[in-house]
Each structure stands twice: as C-alpha cells, then as structure tokens.
C-alpha cells in the first residue's frame, strides 16, 4: 500500500550518526531512550552475541516506539489514525524485504491503528557492545517477560517453583519506570524466594523504557507499540541464549481484550498480546530467518485461573497484592503509595480474578467503583463493563473487532471470554454488596 502525504517522517540514526538525506525526515535515534542500544545488546544477562536479525528487530521496535511517542494523533481526521513513514538501518535489507512487504506493516497496523510505511537501509556500522563476562558458565533455559503484573508474576512463580535437573536458568526480562520501581522490586523478591526454595537459578534483565526529551516532547501517551518493544527485547535475549521461545504471559481475557463498547474497538484497546499480534510478530521473525517463537502460556486461562495457579505455586497473597495491573499512568494516581486505581478496566479484571482465584482481594486500591465521590469520567469503565456484561457476546463480536489468525479456534476463545465474564459478574455483585454496607 502506498501512503500519500505522511503526517510525520522519521529517520533512525545508525551508530555512525549519518544524517537524513531529506530535510522532511525528522532524525531520531538511540539518544531518545535512557537505555542505549549498546547497553542492551551487551548486557551481562545475555550469554553471548545475538544473531543480526534479532538486533535488527530490536532496533526497528525501538524506532517504532519512539516515532509513535513523537507523532500526535490530534491533527488527524479521526483524531486517531496517523500516516507514519519510518526509515531504519538493518544488517541485511534484502533479508528484511519479504517482511517489509508482508507481515510487518499489518503487525504495526494491528498494534497502533496507524498506516505505516517502513523503509529499511543498510546498517553502516554495528553499535559498540559491552564485553560479555568470562567468569560465569551459565545459559538461560527459559526466557519470559516479567512486568510486575499479576499474570507475569503468576507465571514466574510457577516456573521459579519448578524443580528438576533439566530446568536450567530462568531469565526474566523487565522494563522499569522510576515511579513504580518498588513494585517490580517487591514482587521480584517473592519470585526469588520461591526460586531459593526449589533450588532453581533465576536471573533478571531489567531495563528502562522511558524515552528522553532529546527529540522533542511526548505528543502521544497511549504507547500502543510498547508491547512490541518489550517482546523484541525478550526475543533478542532468547536468541543470545539460544532459547527457542519467549513467554509473554497474559490471561486470555486481556490478551483478547474485547472492547466494552464500539468506541473502544480495534487499536483503541491494547492489542499487545492479542493472538493476531503474536501471529504476525512470529511471521516477521520467521520471514527474516529467526529461530525464536513468541508464545502466551496463559492464553487459555481467565484471570481467576491465573490467580489460583499462583497460589498453588506457593506465592503468598501478600506478594500478589503488591503487583500492578492498573492501566492509568502513575502520574494520575494520588496519593503516591497507590499503584492500582481500582476503577479502570484492568483493575476491575484484577478484582474479579483475585476474588475468583483466592476468595479475597487485599489490594490497596486508590478508590472503589461505587465510591460516592467518584467522577463520571472515572466511573466510565464500571458503567461500560456492566452494560457489556448485560449483552450477549458472540463469535461475530469476537472476529469483527480484530481477526483471529489462521488455525485458531473461535469457539475456544469464546469459552475463555465467557468464563471471564462470569468472574466479572461475580465481582460486580460483590462490589455492590460491599458498597451497600452489608459487608
């Protein structure tokens, strides 16, 4: 597809600091992040150099993430869909040609809802990599994303508690934000305690996701390609450790993330772990000759089932209560000790999961959905959820929003969603009963 009149054009600088050939291109590069590419590719938690395709995927994902942050949606006709043109250097443009013409643009369109024109050019020089340690003999056996949320915490707890001679090193890849660093630190301690009990070796790769202001102020706060950045970082870590799969844990309810209303359809709701997103990402990796597959090990579970699995693994409820599920940025939460607002859709799913999976929810939320002083804006998710639960959810709803990839059973996903809806209905009854003063 040819994109006419792109609203923003970005040129990603390679390590040789070449300049864009056309003044219409806006130069961006690694200086736009707290983490330099050299530090990521040479991090001590990676056993050895990764193949070039994995470095290329990470560089491309960082460029997409940064371009998304710098391009405002406000000037578009529908105040959402942008036309973005991006030029990124890769080690072998010919290797990437089929991906560029094939699954790459649909992947970005699914994630952000925008129209992307990606051009790839030869990488003039590779980033300087920090030396790898020579005094340690280890190699990761498993690689998983670890966000500090309930889902990734449950999966990490289950794997950390796993015992066996062939389990090997579990490598958890995390991205940290300064305002909620304590969340990641606290829940990591719970997983580490389980690993010590089982004797399983655990290693962590923690990076900063925050972009700097060197290329201009942030114009878009939705961060729809953030999941691609996370996954690409974990894929590179897996490739460096010769691991053939990356686990991206997300319960089936929020992986599919069905819109509660027509106003939230498609990319207006996050699609980071949607089955179509993972399918297209794996197609990109396969097309460029990659050997890593991105998987969601919790795709068939509801939030309640994820919580029950964490309890069975021995994870204390006090640790689960410290995890973060909130979809609201930290800057919008007061007072500071609260990390879960309690009223956004992810928080409501969290409530339903903990109640269904453990019988209680000790999370210290900022507020409750039925608080008398809650503004109409903050109670929007609660009312939208109740309306959605009052309607039937059919296979047409499932496939009309974002198509499922080939070979995926719609009936199975319908069952996951309906089971999750039952947990949500039980949570609604509990909240209404509690707010009535009966508890």
């Amino acid at each position: 597809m040819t994109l006419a009149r792109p609203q923003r054009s970005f040129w990603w600088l390679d390590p040789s600091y070449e300049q864009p050939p056309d003044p219409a291109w806006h130069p961006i590069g690694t200086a736009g992040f707290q983490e330099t590419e050299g530090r990521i590719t040479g991090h001590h938690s990676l056993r050895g150099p990764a193949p070039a395709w994995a470095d290329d995927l990470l560089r491309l994902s960082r460029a997409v993430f940064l371009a998304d942050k710098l391009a405002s949606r406000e000037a578009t006709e529908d105040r959402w869909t942008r036309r973005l043109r991006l030029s990124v250097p890769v080690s072998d443009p010919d290797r990437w040609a089929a991906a560029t013409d094939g699954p790459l643009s649909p992947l970005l369109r699914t994630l952000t809802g925008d129209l992307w024109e990606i051009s790839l050019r030869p990488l003039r020089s590779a980033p300087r990599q920090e030396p790898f340690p020579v005094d340690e003999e280890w190699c990761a056996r498993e690689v998983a994303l670890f966000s500090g949320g309930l889902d990734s915490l449950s999966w990490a707890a289950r794997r950390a508690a796993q015992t066996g001679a062939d389990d090997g090193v579990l490598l958890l890849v995390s991205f940290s934000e300064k305002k909620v660093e304590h969340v990641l630190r606290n829940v990591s301690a719970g997983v580490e305690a389980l690993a010590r009990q089982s004797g399983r070796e655990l290693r962590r790769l923690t990076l900063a996701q925050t972009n700097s202001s060197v290329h201009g102020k942030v114009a878009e706060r939705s961060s729809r390609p953030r999941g691609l950045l996370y996954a690409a970082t974990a894929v590179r870590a897996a490739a460096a450790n010769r691991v053939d799969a990356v686990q991206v844990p997300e319960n089936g309810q929020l992986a599919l993330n069905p819109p509660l209303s027509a106003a939230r359809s498609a990319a207006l709701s996050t699609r980071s772990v949607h089955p179509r997103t993972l399918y297209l990402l794996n197609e990109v990796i396969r097309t460029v000759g990659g050997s890593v597959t991105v998987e969601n090990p919790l795709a068939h579970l509801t939030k309640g089932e994820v919580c029950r699995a964490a309890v069975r693994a021995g994870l204390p409820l006090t640790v689960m209560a410290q995890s973060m599920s909130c979809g609201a940025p930290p800057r919008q939460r007061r007072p500071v000790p609260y990390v879960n607002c309690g009223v956004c859709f992810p928080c409501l799913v969290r409530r339903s999961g903990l109640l269904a999976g453990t019988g209680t929810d000790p999370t210290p939320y900022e507020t409750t959905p039925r608080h008398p002083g809650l503004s109409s804006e903050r109670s929007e998710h609660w009312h939208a959820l109740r309306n959605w639960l009052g309607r039937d959810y059919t296979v047409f709803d499932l496939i009309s929003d974002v198509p499922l990839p080939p070979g995926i059973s719609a009936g199975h996903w319908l069952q996951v969603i309906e089971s999750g809806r039952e947990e949500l209905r039980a949570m609604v009854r509990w909240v209404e009963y509690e707010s009535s003063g009966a508890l």
Side-chain angles (χ1 to χ4, degrees):
M1 177 173 53
T2 301
L3 305 182
R5 299 186 304 279
Q7 293 168 322
R8 293 301 301 274
S9 299
F10 299 95
W11 177 276
W12 183 264
L13 303 182
D14 71 19
S16 65
Y17 300 105
E18 61 174 316
Q19 293 298 315
D22 188 330
W25 290 92
H26 180 69
I28 59 175
T30 190
F33 289 90
Q34 287 185 358
E35 298 285 2
T36 66
E37 185 175 346
R39 180 176 181 271
I40 294 177
T41 56
H43 197 278
H44 67 274
S45 290
L46 306 184
R47 186 63 193 124
W53 66 263
D55 286 332
D56 293 338
L57 178 64
L58 176 58
R59 188 179 308 108
L60 174 65
S61 300
R62 282 160 63 86
V64 167
F65 177 85
L66 192 54
D68 169 78
K69 302 299 286 184
L70 296 173
S72 173
R73 298 185 188 273
E74 294 299 317
T76 62
E77 292 182 1
D78 59 0
R79 303 189 71 176
W80 184 266
T81 308
R82 301 164 297 184
R83 294 178 180 270
L84 300 170
R85 185 168 55 163
L86 184 64
S87 176
V88 182
V90 295
S91 59
D92 185 352
D94 291 338
R95 175 192 289 263
W96 277 86
T100 306
D101 295 337
L104 182 56
S105 291
L107 169 63
L108 300 180
R109 179 70 186 272
T110 299
L111 280 170
T112 72
D114 300 305
L115 301 175
W116 291 82
E117 179 184 354
I118 305 295
S119 62
L120 302 174
R121 62 187 195 278
L123 180 68
R124 294 175 61 181
S125 63
R128 179 181 179 273
Q129 295 190 11
E130 298 176 6
F132 291 93
V134 295
D135 59 342
E136 296 181 88
E137 290 297 332
W138 71 276
C139 188
R141 184 66 60 84
E142 290 184 272
V143 176
L145 281 179
F146 184 68
S147 66
L150 264 177
D151 293 338
S152 64
L153 175 59
S154 173
W155 176 252
R158 291 164 60 186
R159 301 312 300 159
Q162 183 76 22
T163 58
D166 297 328
D167 291 325
V169 176
L170 171 62
L171 176 61
L172 301 179
V173 180
S174 303
F175 281 77
S176 179
E177 296 182 44
K178 288 185 177 180
K179 294 182 179 179
V180 291
E181 282 180 342
H182 64 289
V183 173
L184 199 57
R185 183 171 58 251
N186 293 340
V187 297
S188 296
V191 176
E192 290 163 1
L194 292 175
R196 285 193 298 271
Q197 293 172 14
S198 68
R200 177 139 202 213
E201 187 173 358
L202 177 68
R203 295 198 176 236
R204 293 183 54 212
L205 168 57
T206 304
L207 303 167
Q209 72 162 16
T210 310
N211 54 290
S212 71
S213 59
V214 68
H215 296 310
K217 294 183 179 180
V218 170
E220 171 59 34
R221 299 191 180 278
S222 66
S223 293
R224 287 295 182 260
R226 181 173 55 184
L228 176 62
L229 173 63
Y230 293 175
T233 305
V235 164
R236 196 209 172 277
N241 283 276
R242 308 301 184 259
V243 176
D244 59 8
V246 165
Q247 305 302 322
V248 183
E250 184 83 72
N251 72 83
Q253 290 171 261
L254 288 183
L256 193 61
N257 202 14
L260 300 182
S261 67
R264 304 183 188 190
S265 61
L268 293 173
S269 295
T270 303
R271 294 289 176 254
S272 296
V273 197
H274 192 280
R276 177 172 173 80
T277 300
L278 297 189
Y279 167 78
L280 290 171
L281 175 56
N282 286 327
E283 282 293 291
V284 170
I285 294 172
R286 182 190 61 80
T287 302
V288 299
S291 56
V292 178
T293 302
V294 182
E295 303 172 348
N296 179 5
L298 306 181
H300 304 322
L301 303 181
T302 66
K303 195 75 165 187
E305 291 167 337
V306 167
C307 292
R308 277 194 290 274
V311 172
R312 288 195 298 267
L315 190 69
L317 192 56
T318 53
V319 176
M320 296 171 66
Q322 296 179 72
S323 63
M324 184 175 69
S325 303
C326 192
R331 63 182 176 278
Q332 296 181 1
R333 289 192 282 265
R334 295 293 185 274
V336 174
Y338 294 107
V339 297
N340 292 289
C341 71
V343 294
C344 68
F345 182 54
C347 279
L348 295 175
V349 174
R350 173 193 178 91
R351 285 180 184 271
S352 70
L354 284 167
L355 290 171
T358 72
T360 185
D361 181 5
T363 304
Y365 295 107
E366 179 186 13
T367 187
T368 63
R370 294 295 301 274
H371 191 282
L374 203 63
S375 66
S376 58
E377 180 181 1
R378 298 199 69 192
S379 61
E380 174 189 0
H381 293 268
W382 174 255
H383 296 303
L385 174 65
R386 295 194 66 202
N387 290 336
W388 181 66
L389 293 175
R391 302 191 300 268
D392 290 337
Y393 187 83
T394 69
V395 67
F396 299 106
D397 298 302
L398 180 67
I399 64 176
S400 62
D401 180 40
V402 177
L404 292 174
I408 297 295
S409 168
H412 171 77
W413 279 101
L414 277 176
Q415 182 57 53
V416 173
I417 292 298
E418 194 51 49
S419 297
R421 279 160 59 95
E422 285 303 312
E423 293 178 0
L424 287 164
R425 291 189 184 99
M427 180 273 296
V428 169
R429 292 191 294 269
W430 185 88
V431 169
E432 293 181 339
Y433 187 59
E434 181 187 43
S435 64
S436 70
L439 292 181

